[in-house]
Amino acid sequence: MASPSSPTHEAMAMHPTTAFETPHAIVFPFPSQGHLNPMMHFSKILASKGFVITFVTLEFQRERIMKTGQHEAALEAGFDIRLEGLSDGLPPHHPREPDAAFMLAVDNL
């Protein structure tokens, strides 16, 4: 039995809300180079079909997206794409790009 404060299925069917009418997708690309742009493109395709998109990435990557203007252009095109950033646990000044020695070691595995 539904509690007095929660709507019944019948009431929800009679009075649908926007939350139930608009599909919403959460896009969370793998935090590595080469994954953000394709996932942003995919997000734009979904948004063009009426989806609300929440694009979740690391804070420093979110800042990089904001600097490129991709998000601004998507909003101007009428797409509902919301950027959300998660902390990676590192301080803001910490370098996040792998150095050449690390990349060489990975290539030689």
Side-chain angles (χ1 to χ4, degrees):
M1 181 174 176
S3 69
S5 63
S6 66
T8 64
H9 291 290
E10 294 82 17
M12 291 169 58
M14 291 172 45
H15 304 287
T17 63
T18 305
F20 294 117
E21 293 174 359
T22 304
H24 190 152
I26 298 174
V27 178
F28 189 24
F30 184 74
S32 180
Q33 186 170 355
H35 294 87
L36 291 176
N37 286 336
M39 292 304 282
M40 181 59 77
H41 181 70
F42 176 65
S43 296
K44 290 176 184 177
I45 292 171
L46 289 176
S48 74
K49 305 295 183 192
F51 278 74
V52 172
I53 304 296
T54 299
F55 194 90
V56 182
T57 190
L58 298 176
E59 270 299 327
F60 86 98
Q61 291 174 326
R62 180 186 178 279
E63 296 303 318
R64 290 172 68 182
I65 291 170
M66 296 297 285
K67 288 179 185 175
T68 67
Q70 280 191 54
H71 183 246
E72 178 100 13
L75 293 176
E76 288 174 1
F79 299 140
D80 191 352
I81 299 177
R82 305 163 187 183
L83 289 181
E84 295 293 333
L86 300 174
S87 171
D88 59 7
L90 297 172
H93 63 277
H94 190 278
R96 288 172 172 82
E97 300 298 326
D99 62 9
F102 174 77
M103 293 307 292
L104 183 60
V106 170
D107 286 344
N108 289 327
L109 288 177

